Amino acid sequence: CSSDLVMLTASVAGSAGTAAVPGGTVTFLDGSTTIGAGALNGSGIATYSTASLSAGQHNITASYGGDASDLASQSAALVQTVAKADTTTSLTKSNATVYAGVGVTFTSVVSRTDGVIPTGIVTFLDGAVAIGTGTLSAAGSATLTTSALAGGVHIISAVYAGDTNDLTSTSPSVNETAQPIATAATIAVSA
């Protein structure tokens, strides 16, 4: 998946009848973009490791620059597919007791097992109805503060929409009962 370490390996051989192992450097490209380089070892092999490939397909080539005895050459393209990463979404609330019409803050945290912080939008739902959205912070959390919960039971969840490198995920539901606010009645008695 994206941000997983990918090791690229290129093997360079000299022309037929040449006993010397080629020397020099191999440049690794993603399409026309250089992603790194590696020096050939005594066996004519160069390696380069990267964790920066985004999710999707990449056309990787190895370009050998040549040396005093060997001409430059380029490999055929290798298609490397990088999958999107799994995510986990959690949901918590700010108040132990929620009252109808009184503000409550819901916080969602989206994470990956490799520690990379996802980006994007979280939608907060009351049942199947969206009640607001939040943008993930640099720490991977999004919040929604609302005072629109009417009295009664609400099933709140958070849905992460995913991004270029990360899959969508949905939090477990939080069952929330918004309590009515008690009011004191005043009775005036006149004689």
Side-chain angles (χ1 to χ4, degrees):
C1 67
S2 60
S3 85
D4 281 353
L5 192 64
V6 175
M7 177 175 279
L8 305 172
T9 303
S11 178
V12 178
S15 58
T18 303
V21 175
T25 302
V26 173
T27 302
F28 295 92
L29 300 104
D30 181 2
S32 60
T33 303
T34 298
I35 56 175
L40 289 170
N41 65 18
S43 300
I45 296 172
T47 61
Y48 177 75
S49 297
T50 180
S52 63
L53 295 178
S54 61
Q57 285 193 339
H58 301 269
N59 292 317
I60 307 296
T61 55
S63 179
Y64 171 57
D67 63 11
S69 304
D70 300 286
L71 295 174
S73 61
Q74 184 161 327
S75 72
L78 167 73
V79 177
Q80 175 70 48
T81 301
V82 178
K84 289 190 175 187
D86 289 328
T87 62
T88 302
T89 300
S90 65
L91 179 64
T92 57
K93 61 181 180 175
S94 60
N95 305 2
T97 303
V98 175
Y99 294 97
V102 176
V104 59
T105 299
F106 295 100
T107 301
S108 176
V109 176
V110 180
S111 60
R112 290 174 33 168
T113 56
D114 60 8
V116 173
I117 306 297
T119 62
I121 302 295
V122 173
T123 301
F124 295 87
L125 302 174
D126 182 356
V129 177
I131 57 174
T133 61
T135 301
L136 288 175
S137 69
S141 65
T143 60
L144 172 72
T145 300
T146 181
S147 56
L149 296 182
V153 176
H154 301 270
I155 301 172
I156 308 297
S157 60
V159 178
Y160 170 56
D163 64 12
T164 304
N165 295 315
D166 302 296
L167 293 171
T168 64
S169 58
T170 302
S171 72
S173 298
V174 172
N175 292 342
E176 188 59 72
T177 301
Q179 307 291 331
I181 297 176
T183 56
T186 302
I187 300 174
V189 178
S190 60

